[in-house]
């Protein structure tokens, strides 16, 4: 989207900005933020064909995790969290849950956000010991509400989602859900601009 011909603020230092500048920026923000689902979908497609040594590529894993959650009757917000839980793999190789959690935070409940944010530690139970790491890192969350919810996410949806023979739903199936979940942020400092 070429926006060079759109009106632009005139300040050179943000401390010199004016209300008129921010009206321009706010109008552009509304348009740009409305296209967030398209950018998220494009980024998900980058996971296609990237197996990283796994039995299925990262997109298939994401779709399969979401498919399993959907078929288990989870609501749209949860299903979209399942779909995006590993979207950070390409840019956050060492902290991918943080990337996914940051993308989802404005749109999901605190519990669903925490599941995405912590899933890497919980998923590690299944493989950390093979890498010489402590597989029980998840135990630091024992007794917290997030423990059972994240344990269930990994056990039911994330861990088994590497099956090349599973009847996985396509990305197009989840696109309308993604658009609905991302239609209106619930938790953002920019709430006034996003309404």
């Amino acid at each position: 989207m070429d926006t060079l011909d759109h009106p632009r603020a005139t300040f050179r230092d943000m401390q010199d900005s004016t209300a008129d500048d921010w009206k321009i920026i706010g109008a552009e923000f509304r348009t740009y933020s409305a296209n967030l689902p398209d950018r998220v979908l494009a980024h998900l497609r980058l996971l296609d064909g990237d197996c990283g040594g796994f039995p299925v590529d990262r997109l298939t894993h994401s779709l399969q995790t979401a498919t399993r959650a959907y078929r288990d009757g989870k609501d749209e917000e949860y299903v979209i969290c399942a779909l995006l839980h590993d979207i950070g793999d390409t840019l956050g190789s060492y902290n991918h849950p943080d990337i996914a959690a940051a993308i989802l935070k404005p749109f999901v409940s605190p519990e669903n956000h925490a599941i995405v944010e912590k899933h890497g530690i919980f998923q590690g139970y299944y493989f950390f010991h093979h890498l010489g790491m402590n597989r029980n890192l998840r135990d630091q969350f024992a007794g917290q509400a997030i423990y059972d919810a994240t344990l269930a996410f990994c056990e039911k949806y994330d861990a088994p989602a590497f099956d090349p023979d599973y009847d996985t739903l396509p990305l197009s199936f989840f696109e309308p859900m993604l658009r609905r979940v991302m239609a209106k942020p619930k938790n953002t400092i920019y709430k006034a601009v996003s309404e």
Side-chain angles (χ1 to χ4, degrees):
M1 177 169 99
D2 185 12
T3 60
L4 289 177
D5 60 345
H6 291 208
R8 291 192 277 166
T10 58
F11 62 85
R12 294 178 184 259
D13 185 323
M14 195 175 278
Q15 65 184 336
D16 298 325
S17 65
T18 66
D20 287 338
D21 289 327
W22 287 98
K23 284 179 188 171
I24 293 168
I25 294 166
E28 290 294 318
F29 177 80
R30 282 184 202 86
T31 302
Y32 188 74
S33 63
N35 293 320
L36 177 60
D38 295 319
R39 291 190 303 277
V40 169
L41 289 164
H43 196 83
L44 268 174
R45 289 184 188 101
L46 294 175
L47 303 176
D48 189 17
D50 178 7
C51 291
F54 289 99
V56 298
D57 66 42
R58 295 176 197 279
L59 177 60
T60 300
H61 169 68
S62 297
L63 291 168
Q64 200 171 116
T65 304
T67 299
R68 290 173 182 277
Y70 172 77
R71 288 183 177 151
D72 197 34
K74 293 298 186 180
D75 65 25
E76 286 190 350
E77 182 181 296
Y78 191 100
V79 170
I80 294 308
C81 286
L83 178 66
L84 299 185
H85 79 283
D86 280 348
I87 195 170
D89 278 349
T90 56
L91 296 174
S93 301
Y94 299 98
N95 66 331
H96 79 275
D98 298 327
I99 305 299
I103 292 167
L104 286 162
K105 186 175 182 176
F107 305 102
V108 301
S109 69
E111 179 179 272
N112 284 338
H113 175 261
I115 289 169
V116 172
E117 184 180 50
K118 304 299 183 210
H119 85 271
I121 293 169
F122 281 73
Q123 188 76 325
Y125 178 79
Y126 303 107
F127 70 91
F128 280 176
H129 58 292
H130 297 304
L131 303 174
M133 297 172 62
N134 178 2
R135 73 186 301 193
N136 295 308
L137 284 177
R138 68 186 188 179
D139 291 350
Q140 66 187 295
F141 300 101
Q144 296 180 30
I146 194 59
Y147 185 85
D148 290 338
T150 310
L151 184 76
F153 172 80
C154 290
E155 210 170 78
K156 294 168 118 181
Y157 313 121
D158 194 7
F162 295 94
D163 182 352
D165 298 321
Y166 186 77
D167 179 26
T168 305
L169 293 167
L171 185 55
S172 59
F173 178 84
F174 297 105
E175 183 176 343
M177 285 185 221
L178 176 78
R179 292 186 184 286
R180 285 189 293 269
V181 168
M182 294 189 142
K184 190 162 178 99
K186 300 174 182 180
N187 178 26
T188 174
I189 61 172
Y190 302 111
K191 193 152 182 73
V193 179
S194 64
E195 293 179 337

